[in-house]
Amino acid sequence: MTGEFVKLGGVAHHVVVEGAGPVLVLSAGLGMSWFDWDPVVPLLTAHRTVVRFDRPGHGLSGPAPVPPSAAGEARRIAGLLDALGLAGPAAVVGHSVAGFHAEAFARLYPARTAGLVLVDSSIEERARPPAAPALRPALARAAAALLCRAGVPAALGPALRRATVRAARAGGGDPAPRELVRRCYGTSRVLRGMLLENATYGSVAAELLYLRRRLPLPSVPVTVVAGGAGGPAWTARQRALASALGARFQLASGAGHLVMLDAPGVVAGAVSPTPPLPATLRGESS
């Protein structure tokens, strides 16, 4: 399913809405696309209205006009829900760096938050604002321009996407259709978006720490899901994040960073524990 396009801030955002019931927003990590949630969505649409979208410079959305920020990404989620006419509270699932965005949404829009799930979320316990915040985005744009002029996206983009997915999984390759991978990752738009988001990672992390000190989480269910293949040190950090947020912790045993591909049932269960999931899809929790 390729969905529709919603314009926000002059940028066409690619959005896919499926199912019926309470609203659930899925936001994938850096460089990922809406179809990376494909294994999870069928487990949820019978009892959830599932919204997945591509951030600017990702998937099929338009180019990123400005560097991302935690508050800006929270506003983006709120704006998309408004544009789609989904005014009620929504549960938000953020994977990897999108965990920053999902948590920022919950803190900035508590009345619009029904739940929060962080899937192998990025963690930066001591992030600080950069001394020259405009420098890294400028360098990222310059690097992107050089790579695009050299034809790197068309020549190497799809192959790099597939290699990255294989490396981020505990086992298995990239299940995404080749046509969609070429359509997204063979473009200069996606390369530019990825480099820009990567360049602002530290500043977004620092901004989230600022929000944590000043704005509490709403009294809603919060779950931290960790990919067990990340190792004991990574699991310990994810447990510490859950403790700091007062969240339930769930370990997806044997899953890599792309938990939604390796253990989709664990992600679906973290969002909606009922109805029961098949035993083969359940993960280990503690």
Side-chain angles (χ1 to χ4, degrees):
M1 179 175 288
T2 55
E4 60 185 294
F5 289 88
V6 173
K7 201 159 231 185
L8 289 177
V11 178
H13 288 67
H14 176 241
V15 186
V16 178
V17 183
E18 301 165 88
V23 178
L24 170 70
V25 179
L26 303 177
S27 187
L30 190 154
M32 307 306 289
S33 299
W34 87 96
F35 51 75
D36 290 304
W37 294 105
D38 278 355
V40 176
V41 172
L43 304 176
L44 296 168
T45 49
H47 49 284
R48 290 278 188 169
T49 298
V50 181
V51 179
R52 350 177 217 168
F53 71 100
D54 295 320
R55 295 187 297 281
H58 288 64
L60 296 179
S61 289
V66 296
S69 66
E73 295 307 317
R75 284 194 300 271
R76 190 183 314 284
I77 294 171
L80 282 171
L81 292 173
D82 289 341
L84 294 168
L86 301 172
V92 184
V93 180
H95 165 254
S96 194
V97 73
F100 291 163
H101 311 156
E103 185 183 338
F105 175 84
R107 293 183 185 278
L108 289 166
Y109 298 90
R112 302 193 65 172
T113 304
L116 174 65
V117 179
L118 305 179
V119 180
D120 221 48
S121 178
S122 297
I123 302 174
E124 295 297 335
E125 298 91 344
R126 298 175 181 83
R128 294 182 179 181
L135 179 59
R136 288 179 63 86
L139 292 174
R141 288 193 176 99
L146 288 173
L147 292 171
C148 292
R149 281 199 294 270
V152 169
L156 299 176
L160 289 173
R161 144 80 196 197
R162 294 200 178 278
T164 300
V165 170
R166 282 196 301 272
R169 296 191 64 186
D174 185 356
R178 290 187 176 276
E179 178 185 349
L180 285 179
V181 171
R182 286 195 300 270
R183 185 177 176 188
C184 297
Y185 295 88
T187 67
S188 60
R189 169 181 50 81
V190 170
L191 175 64
R192 293 173 190 272
M194 290 167 56
L195 290 177
L196 185 60
E197 193 162 281
N198 183 66
T200 54
Y201 173 87
S203 60
V204 172
E207 184 185 355
L208 180 62
L209 293 184
Y210 176 86
L211 293 176
R212 279 183 187 168
R213 292 191 295 268
R214 284 158 178 78
L215 299 173
L217 283 174
S219 297
V220 298
V222 181
T223 302
V224 171
V225 178
W234 178 245
T235 298
R237 292 177 71 193
Q238 292 284 323
R239 285 184 186 274
L241 174 64
S243 178
L245 299 181
R248 182 171 73 101
F249 176 79
Q250 185 159 0
L251 182 66
S253 298
H257 183 53
L258 297 179
V259 184
M260 62 276 222
L261 299 183
D262 286 342
V266 174
V267 177
V271 174
S272 299
T274 56
L277 295 166
T280 54
L281 292 178
R282 289 199 298 267
E284 176 187 342
S285 64
S286 57

